[in-house]
Amino acid sequence: MTGRKRMKLFSAMAAAALVFHAESVFACAACYGGKTDSPLAAGMNWGIFSLMAVVVCVLGGIATFFVFLAKKAAMTATPAPQGEMPDSTQKA
């Protein structure tokens, strides 16, 4: 039996085991059922919100940095006035 056939057979057996023994794949007591106003649920919500705040702050800092770079690049790349040559190409 090749490795590919063996993997397919193992995957099919695992899927069948999950289908016939489905109560073992339910979520844990903290996520599935239970009270939504319990202290555990409130703590989990605060944890989720604080992690979201960290992600928003980090992404905001990255966006601010790239806006800063774009403004800095726009200030340094001013075009020369029309009809005049830049200093580096003028002949002496």
Side-chain angles (χ1 to χ4, degrees):
M1 196 184 283
T2 65
R4 187 174 213 141
K5 287 183 180 179
R6 190 176 297 152
M7 184 60 82
K8 284 183 180 180
L9 179 64
F10 177 74
S11 298
M13 289 172 51
L18 287 176
V19 167
F20 292 117
H21 195 55
E23 64 267 1
S24 65
V25 295
F26 286 144
C28 65
C31 301
Y32 183 77
K35 297 180 181 178
T36 57
D37 58 346
S38 70
L40 180 65
M44 197 172 355
N45 287 338
W46 275 106
I48 291 168
F49 291 138
S50 59
L51 288 175
M52 284 176 58
V54 168
V55 169
V56 166
C57 289
V58 169
L59 291 178
I62 292 170
T64 303
F65 175 69
F66 282 112
V67 168
F68 168 77
L69 287 180
K71 286 183 178 181
K72 199 72 147 170
M75 285 193 308
T76 59
T78 56
Q82 268 189 331
E84 292 183 20
M85 299 280 285
D87 290 337
S88 64
T89 59
Q90 287 181 350
K91 292 184 180 180

